[in-house]
Amino acid sequence: MSENPPRTVFFISDGTGITAETLGHSLLAQFPNSGLRQVRIPFVDDLDKALDAARQIREARAADGVRPIVFSTLVNPHPESGLRDVDALFVDLFEQFIVPLEAELGQRSTHTVGRFHGIAESQDYKARIEAINFAMSHDDGISTDGELADADVILVGVSRSGKTPTSLYLAMQFGVKAANYPLIPEDFERNKLPGELHRHRGKLFGLTIAPERLSQIRQERRPNSRYAAIENCRFEIEAAQKLMRRENIPWLDSTTKSIEEISATILQAVRLNKPAY
Amino acid sequence: MSENPPRTVFFISDGTGITAETLGHSLLAQFPNSGLRQVRIPFVDDLDKALDAARQIREARAADGVRPIVFSTLVNPHPESGLRDVDALFVDLFEQFIVPLEAELGQRSTHTVGRFHGIAESQDYKARIEAINFAMSHDDGISTDGELADADVILVGVSRSGKTPTSLYLAMQFGVKAANYPLIPEDFERNKLPGELHRHRGKLFGLTIAPERLSQIRQERRPNSRYAAIENCRFEIEAAQKLMRRENIPWLDSTTKSIEEISATILQAVRLNKPAY
């Protein structure tokens, strides 16, 4: 629940609004529980639409009783619309960032030239889509040796320790190909890794989690099962940590970490610095 | 291939560097093929690490022959390290954004208080993880009526038209629960939707794609199959479009669009304005 008065945040763009929204989101993620209501106003590409956006912001100001926050990537905010004069914290991402980057790179932005489409054809974008498909088809250990050779990183850990969302985030955000290998009772009994993982041990990264949290997550999936029972979760986590220590696999505890944090730590650990853009 | 000289971009943070990197990525996505090499320097939380970061930037400047670009979310850039005096385009995200937002919201950022962890416990974050799990378990039409009732949006389209990456992006970025329903020959023969989709028609959004592109994507998956043959792709796309028109489902052509653009259009179409943060 919010401790602050309700407040509206606007994402305004002459295009899809994705840049405004992505930037706005990663900044606002710094202020959890700030009780913001978000409104997207994409495709503001003429004076009428700018006038309408200005009207919506003024109405939110009046209704909330506090200033809205506006993230804008408008190339042309149509000064005569009054959009820049509303009573709001107006964050002009175009002026503050895109203009200096254009000067530095000696290149106009796709936003300026109205060709956001370019992204779908870039190498970086294709790598991301390929990595997403890779993560989807190599979730839960369904991988051959040849496919593991193709992975940038292989996440190991017990079921529900956070491998799947982390591998999808690594793919979507960084274009990193992450495969999963779930540790199961057979691995604990052997107390060593299967041969195919041994051949790729430089790519392994382990995730562990507090048994109480694991039990809670598994309860939601299979209530009152042996799978979710706290004793079983304790046993699996202990066995998994013992195995990871024995095999010298770097690992972290995901209990109170976000997928963003987990992913950053993994990228550092396996030293993945891919070329970008 | 890059048309520009190689240039280095740094993401520097006293934390995980995720905010710096996310912001930097969405800005640099505006400059495709700009040939940037990226280097992450997270956890710069003392003078020694700041000195080391400054050294790395100076070395890149000398090696590349052009100024590096630096995205920083450092709360304290340690002036005596010389980090702020290097010959680079230094984008100080903390000063430019986080400080004004702290003043506006009357709340310190998790970054300032060194508690990025807070995110993992926020409602918004939990909704995202839940939506990712939802997308994973409802990929490729494996949904009951009750589960479809729980979806925010249901994507329909032929196999490989872009439903899966789009539903994952909607989940990860916006916490939107997206289910998939792949259109198959039986649907075309009947030329109408299955009953369970009818009950949720307000949530339906269709994806289509150019037959040539579809054939190319399917070739990579199943070379020389009937599935990938251009005639079959033409038939499926034509039948799918006819069905979507008949059923009055809003749809778009994903051929040259990025998942960011597709997602933005879907959110507009189904009018999803979820509360944020």
Side-chain angles (χ1 to χ4, degrees):
Chain A
M1 288 276 73
S2 164
E3 297 154 20
N4 298 305
R7 188 194 287 260
T8 310
V9 54
F10 289 91
F11 303 102
I12 299 187
S13 172
D14 36 19
T16 58
I18 285 296
T19 304
E21 191 153 2
T22 308
L23 288 164
H25 271 268
S26 49
L27 288 166
L28 292 175
Q30 296 287 329
F31 300 91
N33 306 319
S34 48
L36 297 169
R37 184 177 75 93
Q38 62 183 334
V39 177
R40 302 177 186 95
I41 315 183
F43 310 117
V44 177
D45 50 11
D46 63 24
L47 177 60
D48 276 355
K49 289 177 190 150
L51 282 165
D52 186 61
R55 182 188 54 74
Q56 289 189 55
I57 298 170
R58 278 194 304 269
E59 286 176 5
R61 170 70 184 87
D64 297 347
V66 285
R67 299 207 301 173
I69 297 168
V70 181
F71 291 99
S72 160
T73 52
L74 291 177
V75 177
N76 173 7
H78 294 278
E80 66 277 34
S81 68
L83 187 53
R84 285 304 309 263
D85 311 318
V86 290
D87 182 25
L89 177 67
F90 197 98
V91 183
D92 188 331
L93 300 161
F94 185 75
E95 278 275 318
Q96 281 191 272
F97 284 135
I98 299 176
V99 169
L101 280 170
E102 286 187 340
E104 187 70 30
L105 294 168
Q107 185 184 345
R108 297 184 73 200
S109 70
T110 50
H111 190 81
T112 307
V113 299
R115 219 187 63 92
F116 188 79
H117 287 176
I119 285 184
E121 281 123 47
S122 76
Q123 283 309 104
D124 173 58
Y125 181 77
K126 284 179 188 155
R128 281 170 53 207
I129 294 292
E130 202 186 318
I132 293 169
N133 289 332
F134 185 90
M136 289 293 286
S137 55
H138 299 83
D139 190 40
D140 263 339
I142 321 156
S143 312
T144 66
D145 189 57
E147 290 167 325
L148 290 176
D150 204 24
D152 295 314
V153 61
I154 303 165
L155 302 180
V156 300
V158 303
S159 165
R160 297 284 117 185
S161 55
K163 301 185 300 299
T164 296
T166 303
S167 61
L168 289 169
Y169 188 82
L170 284 167
M172 197 162 280
Q173 189 74 8
F174 303 109
V176 163
K177 288 184 183 171
N180 283 354
Y181 182 83
L183 294 175
I184 53 171
E186 287 71 45
D187 299 308
F188 304 143
E189 278 163 32
R190 272 196 314 263
N191 197 20
K192 63 177 194 179
L193 294 172
E196 66 266 32
L197 285 192
H198 249 287
R199 282 190 286 283
H200 304 287
R201 50 178 312 134
K203 298 178 183 178
L204 299 182
F205 195 94
L207 293 182
T208 188
I209 185 171
E212 295 71 25
R213 178 86 189 106
L214 182 63
S215 170
Q216 195 186 342
I217 295 170
R218 288 182 171 184
Q219 276 289 351
E220 285 168 25
R221 214 167 170 88
R222 292 197 223 149
N224 306 318
S225 61
R226 176 174 147 70
Y227 170 76
I230 181 68
E231 307 76 47
N232 180 55
C233 291
R234 278 209 192 95
F235 165 77
E236 285 192 29
I237 289 295
E238 200 175 307
Q241 292 184 358
K242 191 173 146 204
L243 179 58
M244 294 192 288
R245 266 193 298 265
R246 195 193 122 110
E247 299 281 346
N248 215 7
I249 300 169
W251 51 280
L252 65 75
D253 183 331
S254 71
T255 312
T256 58
K257 294 195 171 59
S258 66
I259 45 176
E260 286 85 349
E261 281 183 294
I262 298 167
S263 302
T265 308
I266 292 171
L267 290 179
Q268 278 299 108
V270 298
R271 301 200 169 277
L272 281 169
N273 270 332
K274 295 208 144 189
Y277 308 103
Chain B
M1 288 277 76
S2 165
E3 296 155 22
N4 298 307
R7 188 194 288 259
T8 310
V9 55
F10 289 90
F11 303 103
I12 299 187
S13 172
D14 36 19
T16 59
I18 286 295
T19 304
E21 189 153 2
T22 307
L23 288 164
H25 272 267
S26 49
L27 289 166
L28 293 173
Q30 296 286 330
F31 301 91
N33 305 319
S34 49
L36 296 169
R37 183 177 74 92
Q38 62 183 332
V39 177
R40 299 178 188 95
I41 315 183
F43 309 118
V44 178
D45 50 10
D46 62 24
L47 176 60
D48 275 356
K49 290 177 190 150
L51 283 164
D52 186 62
R55 181 189 54 74
Q56 289 189 54
I57 298 170
R58 280 193 304 268
E59 286 177 5
R61 170 69 185 86
D64 298 346
V66 285
R67 299 208 298 174
I69 297 168
V70 180
F71 291 100
S72 160
T73 51
L74 290 178
V75 177
N76 173 8
H78 293 277
E80 67 277 33
S81 69
L83 186 54
R84 284 304 309 263
D85 311 317
V86 291
D87 183 26
L89 177 67
F90 197 98
V91 183
D92 188 331
L93 300 162
F94 185 74
E95 278 275 316
Q96 282 190 271
F97 284 137
I98 299 176
V99 169
L101 280 170
E102 286 186 340
E104 188 68 30
L105 294 169
Q107 184 183 345
R108 297 185 73 198
S109 69
T110 51
H111 190 80
T112 307
V113 297
R115 219 185 62 93
F116 189 79
H117 287 175
I119 285 182
E121 282 123 45
S122 76
Q123 283 310 105
D124 174 59
Y125 181 77
K126 283 180 188 154
R128 282 169 55 208
I129 294 291
E130 201 186 321
I132 293 169
N133 289 332
F134 185 90
M136 289 293 286
S137 56
H138 299 83
D139 192 39
D140 264 338
I142 322 156
S143 311
T144 65
D145 188 57
E147 290 167 325
L148 290 176
D150 203 26
D152 295 314
V153 61
I154 303 164
L155 301 179
V156 301
V158 303
S159 165
R160 297 283 118 186
S161 54
K163 300 184 300 302
T164 296
T166 303
S167 62
L168 288 171
Y169 187 82
L170 285 167
M172 197 163 280
Q173 191 73 9
F174 302 109
V176 164
K177 287 185 183 171
N180 284 354
Y181 182 83
L183 293 175
I184 54 170
E186 288 70 44
D187 299 309
F188 304 143
E189 279 162 32
R190 271 199 313 265
N191 197 22
K192 63 177 193 178
L193 294 173
E196 66 267 31
L197 285 191
H198 249 289
R199 281 189 287 284
H200 304 287
R201 50 179 312 135
K203 298 178 183 178
L204 298 181
F205 194 94
L207 293 182
T208 188
I209 185 171
E212 296 72 23
R213 179 82 190 109
L214 182 63
S215 170
Q216 196 185 340
I217 294 170
R218 288 181 171 185
Q219 276 289 351
E220 284 168 27
R221 214 169 169 86
R222 292 197 221 149
N224 306 317
S225 60
R226 177 174 147 68
Y227 171 76
I230 181 70
E231 308 77 46
N232 180 54
C233 291
R234 277 207 194 95
F235 164 77
E236 285 192 29
I237 289 296
E238 201 175 307
Q241 292 183 359
K242 191 173 146 205
L243 179 58
M244 293 192 288
R245 266 193 298 267
R246 195 193 122 111
E247 299 280 345
N248 215 7
I249 299 169
W251 49 280
L252 64 75
D253 184 332
S254 71
T255 311
T256 59
K257 292 195 172 60
S258 66
I259 45 174
E260 285 84 350
E261 281 182 294
I262 299 167
S263 302
T265 308
I266 292 171
L267 290 180
Q268 278 300 108
V270 297
R271 302 200 170 278
L272 281 169
N273 270 332
K274 293 207 144 191
Y277 309 104

